[in-house]
Amino acid sequence: MKEKYTIEKGSIFQKLAVGLILMFVLIILIFWWIYQLNVQETQRELQKNKLGEVRFMSSQLSNQFEQVLVNALTLAEDQSVRGYTYVLRYGNDFAKYKAKLELIEKLALNSASTSWNNTIILYYPDEQDTVSSDPQFSFRPFAMSKEPLDRWMLHMNQDGTGYYSHLTKGHRGPMYIEIRISLDVLQKMMSEYTSGTPMLYDARFERAIRGTGSAQLAGADAEVLPHIRNESGTFEISFQHTNYFISFMKASILDLYFIDYHPTDQLRQSISSNNTWFVLALVVMLLLSLFYILALRNQVQQPIIRLRKAIDRFDRGDYSSRVDETQIFEFKILGRSFNRMAENTQTLIEQVLLGELSVKEARLKQYQAQINPHFLYNCLNFIQSKSSIKDYESVTAMTLELASYCRYIHRIEDQDSTLGEELRFVNHYMSIIHMRKQSITFETDVPSPLLSIRIPRMILQPLVENGVKHGIEPSMASGQITIHAEQNQEDIRIFVQDNGVGMSADRLARIRAHMDEFTRPEEQIGTGIRNVNQRLKLTYGKRSGLSVDSSLYEGTRCIITIHKEDIADASDPVSRR
């Protein structure tokens, strides 16, 4: 038996191993030789072009920032700027108003004198007055800037808008000058850069300023930004199946780097002749390998196909998938190993599902025993407010609705309820919401035969609460929550819909992606919706669950789907899988 094993082991494995090793060794040697030629040409091209372009753009940044700052400081020495203090102290109202208008016009002309449009704000703290090239700052109550002196500060919003500001004190008199440069100016400058895809990175504030073309490269920041050190440099990365050559240089006036992304495919035109030789050599090697593999086709292909089909069935969720044994020794051992792995995996998955269901049930009991403190505080504040004006009818109504709401939550001994009971519970919740915010209404349309079906407890309220909190309340307008149900021969569907602000396609895609994740997602988005979906699948099986449709400014609709034949098996979650 030992001798037979040794002979069979070498019959296929050695032939495949030796052939593949020889093929890859030859490919690596040829590639290394051609790669050396490519590297020399690429390095010359990169050093000559990209670093020069990045150096020019970083110097432009420094020059523009410096020009704006110098113009503003020069303006501070202007006679009308310094004399405005005297007018504020001793002039009449007409003189003050006239002097302010003249000063606003002069500031506006000064802002427009540079290629970068900027905003200049003059603060006179002793006179409690503000003058700016932007009129909205000149005629509002005085508010002194809290920025540190003589430092460029970045103010950037989540959507990429914002500005740079610089606050300095005038040389004569108690006057402060603030300069603001909108990020739109920097983004416009990057849009005019056509040699590559530019981005600005402020190392001090650790924020990236992107143009329209670099937004798609935001996912590469985790790999790129750690390399941004020293005054300048170059390196390469691979992102979304594309190789990029990165060159960067720091502006001299502040910690702002100009970064250029350049696809290396554009640099390969000059070395295409070298790559041609490589491709020809690779084709010859592949042809030789093809003839060698065809000779072993009958002994290898069929067992691999059967094993692959078994693995595909296992990957699709058929954990009972097994592979039949073959006469070839190597694939017989491989098939037995796969069958043992599949059997062990099936056992472990069944145990995990049972454990997960137990954990979900325990968490549900815990959630039922809790009331959102913010929700309870709002109800108590409502009662106190109505009591103070002797509106005892509203106090009584709120007390009864809150008592019914709490009574249902604390029935932790029940794991499920009827659809009718769930609707009554949601009605208590919405009555409380309506008493506090009468612009929010609630409507149901459920056929009587469906009111008696059994569903998990507290499965509708999280969806209704999401509709109120994230759909209607942000719209600052009246809104309505609608629940209706329908059935056909195969399933029952329950619709929970609001007419609120809805959500963008990107946010909807992320919520749908998180809904079916078995483990807890890292990004906390759509947690309530995900919990409802997981409870439905654990109760009825993976054919049932929750789906979400939404359009921006048109509202959101959640659809609970329960297959009828799964309702009877809801107590046996393992058998459904």
Side-chain angles (χ1 to χ4, degrees):
M1 179 66 184
K2 183 177 181 180
E3 182 180 358
K4 181 179 180 182
Y5 171 80
T6 304
I7 295 175
E8 290 181 345
K9 182 177 181 180
S11 61
I12 295 178
F13 181 79
Q14 286 184 347
K15 294 177 183 178
L16 289 175
V18 172
L20 290 175
I21 289 173
L22 290 176
M23 182 180 66
F24 279 105
V25 167
L26 290 175
I27 291 176
I28 290 172
L29 290 175
I30 295 172
F31 177 78
W32 180 83
W33 174 65
I34 299 178
Y35 176 75
Q36 297 303 315
L37 300 177
N38 295 342
V39 167
Q40 296 175 7
E41 184 68 24
T42 303
Q43 288 178 343
R44 286 193 295 267
E45 198 70 26
L46 293 176
Q47 292 296 330
K48 181 179 179 180
N49 296 328
K50 301 309 299 179
L51 284 179
E53 294 171 357
V54 172
R55 183 180 295 107
F56 174 78
M57 294 304 298
S58 62
S59 64
Q60 286 289 98
L61 282 172
S62 300
N63 292 338
Q64 292 294 340
F65 272 100
E66 186 175 358
Q67 181 182 357
V68 171
L69 182 58
V70 169
N71 284 357
L73 294 178
T74 303
L75 180 66
E77 301 298 326
D78 189 89
Q79 181 62 35
S80 59
V81 174
R82 291 188 288 108
Y84 184 67
T85 305
Y86 180 84
V87 176
L88 290 176
R89 292 178 179 175
Y90 304 107
N92 55 31
D93 291 340
F94 177 77
K96 293 178 183 179
Y97 183 76
K98 180 179 179 182
K100 173 171 280 194
L101 291 181
E102 293 175 351
L103 192 53
I104 289 174
E105 182 178 359
K106 179 164 292 190
L107 293 179
L109 291 175
N110 184 275
S111 298
S113 65
T114 63
S115 58
W116 280 10
N117 190 18
N118 58 87
T119 301
I120 302 176
I121 307 174
L122 303 180
Y123 297 97
Y124 296 89
D126 291 349
E127 287 73 25
Q128 295 289 295
D129 196 19
T130 305
V131 184
S132 172
S133 57
D134 188 345
Q136 67 171 334
F137 294 98
S138 299
F139 298 99
R140 68 181 186 183
F142 178 80
M144 182 65 193
S145 174
K146 304 299 183 181
E147 302 292 342
L149 293 176
D150 301 321
R151 296 177 66 181
W152 284 102
M153 303 296 294
L154 175 62
H155 307 264
M156 188 172 182
N157 303 319
Q158 294 295 330
D159 59 357
T161 60
Y163 59 90
Y164 270 99
S165 67
H166 185 280
L167 182 66
T168 187
K169 186 177 182 181
H171 296 296
R172 301 182 182 181
M175 177 190 68
Y176 293 86
I177 307 171
E178 181 180 2
I179 308 165
R180 294 187 178 184
I181 300 176
S182 173
L183 297 185
D184 293 339
V185 175
L186 302 179
Q187 292 167 348
K188 180 180 178 182
M189 182 197 72
M190 288 188 287
S191 67
E192 297 172 352
Y193 182 80
T194 59
S195 179
T197 304
M199 182 186 82
L200 297 177
Y201 175 66
D202 195 309
R204 178 185 171 196
F205 296 96
E206 298 182 348
R207 299 297 298 272
I209 304 171
R210 306 183 186 281
T212 56
S214 63
Q216 60 185 357
L217 297 173
D221 286 355
E223 185 176 356
V224 172
L225 296 183
H227 293 86
I228 306 302
R229 299 187 298 270
N230 303 324
E231 297 296 324
S232 63
T234 60
F235 57 93
E236 292 188 18
I237 66 166
S238 178
F239 178 68
Q240 293 183 347
H241 310 292
T242 302
N243 295 321
Y244 290 92
F245 180 81
I246 312 297
S247 53
F248 65 91
M249 184 164 292
K250 181 180 179 182
S252 59
I253 196 170
L254 67 169
D255 294 336
L256 189 63
Y257 286 88
F258 184 88
I259 305 173
D260 175 77
Y261 291 77
H262 200 93
T264 56
D265 294 340
Q266 300 180 9
L267 304 175
R268 294 174 182 171
Q269 297 178 356
S270 61
I271 55 175
S272 59
S273 59
N274 295 332
N275 287 341
T276 302
W277 288 105
F278 170 73
V279 171
L280 291 176
L282 182 61
V283 168
V284 172
M285 292 303 303
L286 289 177
L287 290 175
L288 294 175
S289 301
L290 180 60
F291 283 115
Y292 183 81
I293 292 173
L294 288 176
L296 301 175
R297 177 176 178 274
N298 294 332
Q299 295 184 3
V300 176
Q301 186 182 40
Q302 294 303 321
I304 289 179
I305 291 176
R306 288 195 293 269
L307 179 60
R308 186 185 64 187
K309 290 182 178 179
I311 293 174
D312 288 343
R313 292 194 301 270
F314 187 85
D315 184 59
R316 290 194 298 267
D318 182 7
Y319 302 121
S320 63
S321 174
R322 301 293 185 270
V323 63
D324 297 331
E325 291 188 358
T326 65
Q327 298 301 321
I328 301 175
F329 180 78
E330 289 86 351
F331 291 105
K332 182 186 295 185
I333 298 299
L334 186 60
R336 290 176 179 176
S337 299
F338 170 77
N339 291 340
R340 286 196 300 271
M341 181 202 69
E343 183 177 355
N344 293 336
T345 303
Q346 182 179 11
T347 302
L348 289 174
I349 287 177
E350 291 176 354
Q351 294 175 353
V352 168
L353 289 176
L354 287 174
E356 180 73 9
L357 182 59
S358 299
V359 171
K360 290 288 185 179
E361 292 174 351
R363 287 179 177 175
L364 176 60
K365 291 183 179 180
Q366 179 185 4
Y367 295 154
Q368 292 171 349
Q370 297 177 352
I371 304 178
N372 187 325
H374 185 69
F375 176 77
L376 182 58
Y377 295 158
N378 287 338
C379 294
L380 296 177
N381 285 335
F382 177 88
I383 294 174
Q384 189 274 335
S385 175
K386 293 300 181 180
S387 298
S388 63
I389 62 174
K390 301 183 184 303
D391 186 358
Y392 299 123
E393 183 178 349
S394 297
V395 172
T396 301
M398 173 62 78
T399 304
L400 293 176
E401 295 292 349
L402 183 60
S404 300
Y405 177 86
C406 295
R407 188 180 303 111
Y408 188 84
I409 286 181
H410 286 85
R411 285 168 51 191
I412 61 176
E413 70 279 358
D414 296 333
Q415 297 181 4
D416 61 0
S417 62
T418 65
L419 177 57
E421 292 174 340
E422 279 290 290
L423 289 174
R424 285 193 293 274
F425 171 61
V426 171
N427 187 67
H428 292 314
Y429 173 78
M430 287 305 301
S431 297
I432 294 173
I433 296 297
H434 180 71
M435 281 188 282
R436 291 177 45 239
K437 300 179 180 180
Q438 296 186 0
S439 61
I440 301 178
T441 59
F442 176 59
E443 181 178 315
T444 61
D445 180 16
V446 178
S448 299
L450 297 182
L451 296 176
S452 60
I453 66 168
R454 307 294 296 184
I455 60 174
R457 294 186 76 247
M458 297 190 65
I459 207 72
L460 297 179
Q461 191 270 343
L463 304 179
V464 173
E465 184 176 354
N466 268 359
V468 173
K469 184 177 180 181
H470 302 293
I472 296 176
E473 288 184 347
S475 69
M476 305 298 292
S478 60
Q480 184 179 60
I481 299 292
T482 304
I483 298 179
H484 70 280
E486 61 184 33
Q487 64 175 331
N488 52 37
Q489 294 182 351
E490 296 182 355
D491 53 44
I492 298 171
R493 293 187 177 184
I494 305 171
F495 301 84
V496 180
Q497 185 169 354
D498 67 77
N499 60 350
V501 297
M503 65 185 78
S504 64
D506 177 66
R507 181 176 178 85
L508 178 61
R510 284 189 290 153
I511 289 178
R512 286 175 173 173
H514 290 321
M515 283 175 58
D516 293 325
E517 291 185 5
F518 186 73
T519 57
R520 184 180 181 89
E522 295 182 0
E523 185 179 6
Q524 295 301 307
I525 179 174
T527 303
I529 292 177
R530 175 183 175 273
N531 288 339
V532 170
N533 184 50
Q534 293 294 331
R535 288 179 59 200
L536 289 170
K537 290 185 179 297
L538 285 171
T539 303
Y540 298 109
K542 58 186 178 183
R543 294 189 301 177
S544 301
L546 178 69
S547 61
V548 181
D549 294 325
S550 183
S551 297
L552 195 60
Y553 308 121
E554 295 183 6
T556 301
R557 183 175 66 171
C558 299
I559 306 171
I560 295 176
T561 302
I562 303 175
H563 280 261
K564 290 183 177 180
E565 63 184 37
D566 292 332
I567 296 178
D569 298 331
S571 62
D572 187 11
V574 175
S575 64
R576 297 193 304 273
R577 290 168 168 80

